[in-house]
Amino acid sequence: EVQLLESGGGLVQPGGSLRLSCAASGFTFSRYAMIWVRQAPGRGLEWVSLITGGDSSTYYADSMKGRFTISRDNSKNALFLQMNSLRAEDTAVYYCAKASRTIVASDFDYWGQGTLVTVSS
Amino acid sequence: DIVMTQSPDSLAVSLGERATINCKSSRTVLYTSNNKNYLAWYQQKPGQPPKLLISWASTRESGVPDRFSGSGSGTDFTLTISSLQAEDVAVYYCQQYYSTPPEWTFGQGTKVEIK
């Protein structure tokens, strides 16, 4: 059974940093692209970042470039999101999700339950 | 960026009636070399993560009831719930996975309620 479990969320002050983790199980983690998607309170889904399964190429939404870093540790079946220079507008539930197929251009068939990040003084 | 625009933002439908949600992309998401539309539909119920309903614009995921169907090509797509059930109350999102480099944008969501 595929499982994704996010952790690392919490309350952080503006300008601060936070590192999110996503523990994956039930599939061959290294073969699949993974993404982070966020959802601000009462708002829609926003794609944050993607990391490929093969060469771990990384891609970011424009508003996250330079502040967020996605990475993965295939030996530990773990996905990460390092978030720096956090702003109030980064407050959201952050989901990790697994690509449906072992190609980059894929939708996402399994999602974690999410971890809440609150940026506030 | 490919911008995804859904309509309406919300709709109320009677139980057993048809619900239709539209999604328009600012550029084509049809890859002509394989004739596939790189468009997915997700359902999100309150307090839950999104659930993948449809891939490639019209391919239902395993276990998804056949009252859900997707159609369209190029820039215009539709998700149809043929006979709305109480458990279908949710927000529905379209997402493109066509753009290069990858920037998988979502529509703003359509909230479906019971009339």
Side-chain angles (χ1 to χ4, degrees):
Chain A
E1 179 191 7
V2 172
Q3 291 193 340
L4 299 171
L5 183 62
E6 303 95 338
S7 61
L11 175 63
V12 60
Q13 292 189 338
S17 298
L18 214 53
R19 189 191 197 211
L20 306 183
S21 299
C22 172
S25 62
F27 64 103
T28 306
F29 180 73
S30 61
R31 297 186 65 198
Y32 292 87
M34 299 290 293
I35 61 167
W36 288 98
V37 170
R38 71 183 184 182
Q39 187 167 37
R43 305 294 296 274
L45 302 173
E46 180 180 22
W47 177 80
V48 171
S49 183
L50 176 146
I51 186 165
T52 62
D55 60 0
S56 294
S57 295
T58 59
Y59 304 92
Y60 301 91
D62 285 344
S63 60
M64 272 63 103
K65 285 177 184 173
R67 298 191 302 125
F68 290 10
T69 303
I70 191 172
S71 61
R72 65 192 299 160
D73 184 339
N74 290 334
S75 68
K76 296 181 179 178
N77 289 351
L79 175 73
F80 305 101
L81 185 68
Q82 177 67 42
M83 304 187 294
N84 299 329
S85 303
L86 284 163
R87 309 164 180 164
E89 53 266 36
D90 295 318
T91 294
V93 173
Y94 286 73
Y95 296 101
C96 65
K98 165 194 166 290
S100 303
R101 289 167 283 278
T102 58
I103 56 175
V104 175
S106 174
D107 41 42
F108 293 85
D109 56 355
Y110 286 92
W111 295 65
Q113 290 298 312
T115 187
L116 176 62
V117 172
T118 303
V119 184
S120 175
S121 55
Chain B
D1 297 7
I2 297 179
V3 178
M4 309 300 290
T5 304
Q6 293 181 225
S7 62
D9 288 335
S10 64
L11 75 162
V13 176
S14 300
L15 289 172
E17 296 300 305
R18 179 184 300 259
T20 301
I21 300 168
N22 300 301
C23 174
K24 187 175 184 66
S25 59
S26 60
R27 290 190 280 123
T28 185
V29 298
L30 171 65
Y31 194 38
T32 54
S33 65
N34 61 9
N35 201 37
K36 283 184 178 290
N37 288 283
Y38 285 54
L39 189 286
W41 288 98
Y42 297 86
Q43 174 193 64
Q44 187 180 31
K45 296 182 179 180
Q48 295 185 19
K51 173 187 175 182
L52 178 63
L53 294 178
I54 289 173
S55 301
W56 307 122
S58 60
T59 303
R60 248 189 328 271
E61 290 297 292
S62 174
V64 174
D66 60 7
R67 63 180 179 274
F68 290 93
S69 63
S71 62
S73 185
T75 61
D76 293 280
F77 301 90
T78 300
L79 175 69
T80 301
I81 310 171
S82 61
S83 176
L84 190 74
Q85 305 300 302
E87 60 266 32
D88 301 334
V89 169
V91 180
Y92 294 84
Y93 297 91
C94 60
Q95 181 202 22
Q96 63 82 17
Y97 44 100
Y98 176 90
S99 53
T100 301
E103 191 156 350
W104 301 159
T105 44
F106 290 89
Q108 80 276 18
T110 295
K111 186 175 185 179
V112 174
E113 300 173 307
I114 305 294
K115 185 186 291 184

